[in-house]
Amino acid sequence: MRPILLSGHERALTQVKYNRDGDLIFSVSKDQQICVWYAHNGERLGTYHGHQGAIWTVDVDPTSTIIASGSADNTIRLWDIKTGKCLKTWEFPTAVKRVEFNEDGTKLLGVTEKRMGHLGTIVVLDIIVDVDAEQSDEKAMTIVCDESKATVAGWSYLSKYIIAGHEDGSISQYDAKTGEQILNYPIHELDNAITDIQWSQDRTYFITASKDKNAKLITAKDLEVLKTYVSDTPLNSAIITPKKEYVVLGGGQAAMDVTRTSARQGKFEARFYHKIFEDEIGRVRGHFGPLNTVAAEPNGKGYASGGEDGYVRVHQFDKGYFDFMYEVERERANRIGVTA
Amino acid sequence: EDAERINSADVAVVEERRRLLDEWLAWREAVEEELAEEREILGLPADLVGELLKAKTAQIAPDQEEVTVE
């Protein structure tokens, strides 16, 4: 599993995303750059210029027509993937920490930062997935997080719910049409921020990552915790891999927190767990700093990780990965006549 | 005797995994069924993204029929 190294960013990566086909990778960083790369060879196709601050987040619509980005410059921007042109800028009172398109790309949510005089919010924008269309200036909805600010959020299956992870370690479920909070559960340890939420392919369940060193698999419908993956380092990101029943966790102690320990103990590895059995089954080394973000290739062929070290590492899974099965999985596969 | 004890521990682990796998697959089946029903009620296609891509292709090349290259 020799990775492709994407070097082009000059500072820490904040988010990495594949497009639906898995042929493009979008990366954003504190260096104010948005880059797009060919996933198969790591060649950089281009960059998107305009943001005036660290970029925290990026997402791509399901048809790979436009991307959205959110930044410390208090804007969400929409970009034409092909030409690199900025199509629209929305301004907010504070930084934008997370953006995500819904299933059909007609809505975009943005998580805004809490700051003196401003509560954290989740805003919803109506989007027309067409580079020639005039996008609306108005927000379709604003959810105010008055208890604990949202750190991450996303859209469930059928755009029915907005799910948010909060700074206090809780998870909320909102009605995506009205913005009304339906559920809020303290799922991770109190005041251990939820750092990531990523979906299963059909968006009926998701995985969280938290500073409390755990990742959890949770249902979108009733926020039931299905599985817990226990690690030994604060987590920044987690993915559910398509095709195989694994999850991959990324994290690591930030440099300033490990002054009295060596870099070796920073634990800068991607950790693989069996999704159903919750066992850790392997680790992948490579980064020289914490993994800030991991992304799953949508066809299950690999994953990419973005580090505090400024690199993106793109991994293609090898045969051993696909062949590996637990005895009970093999037994079932044999019974139903499917081979790995 | 030791071997026997280890063996029975292994069996317990395997049985627990079998239970977890069955439980997971049963849950997935129920969820997928429910999702399909809800989608149908809303009149949404099963392959939403496939439909969106088809629409995009039609927009880019409106007069061309879809050609399958083999």
Side-chain angles (χ1 to χ4, degrees), chain A residues 93-97 111-115 118-121 149-150:
Chain A
T94 59
V96 179
K97 300 304 285 283
V111 175
T112 68
E113 182 61 282
K114 175 183 171 179
R115 213 186 52 200
H118 298 283
L119 288 166
T121 68
K149 73 171 186 188

Side-chain angles (χ1 to χ4, degrees), chain A residues 101-107 154-162 174-177 199-205 220-221, chain B residues 31-48:
Chain A
F101 284 105
N102 69 340
E103 256 175 349
D104 65 5
T106 57
K107 285 179 188 298
W155 299 91
S156 79
Y157 63 98
L158 307 176
S159 307
K160 202 170 169 182
Y161 308 113
I162 289 174
Y174 300 94
D175 182 314
K177 288 218 168 68
W199 294 100
S200 68
Q201 278 194 301
D202 65 4
R203 299 194 190 220
T204 57
Y205 64 102
K221 191 185 169 193
Chain B
V31 167
E32 278 165 22
E33 207 170 291
E34 196 181 318
L35 180 59
E37 273 170 29
E38 280 191 57
R39 205 186 277 127
E40 208 179 304
I41 291 166
L42 293 170
L44 292 170
D47 180 13
L48 183 62

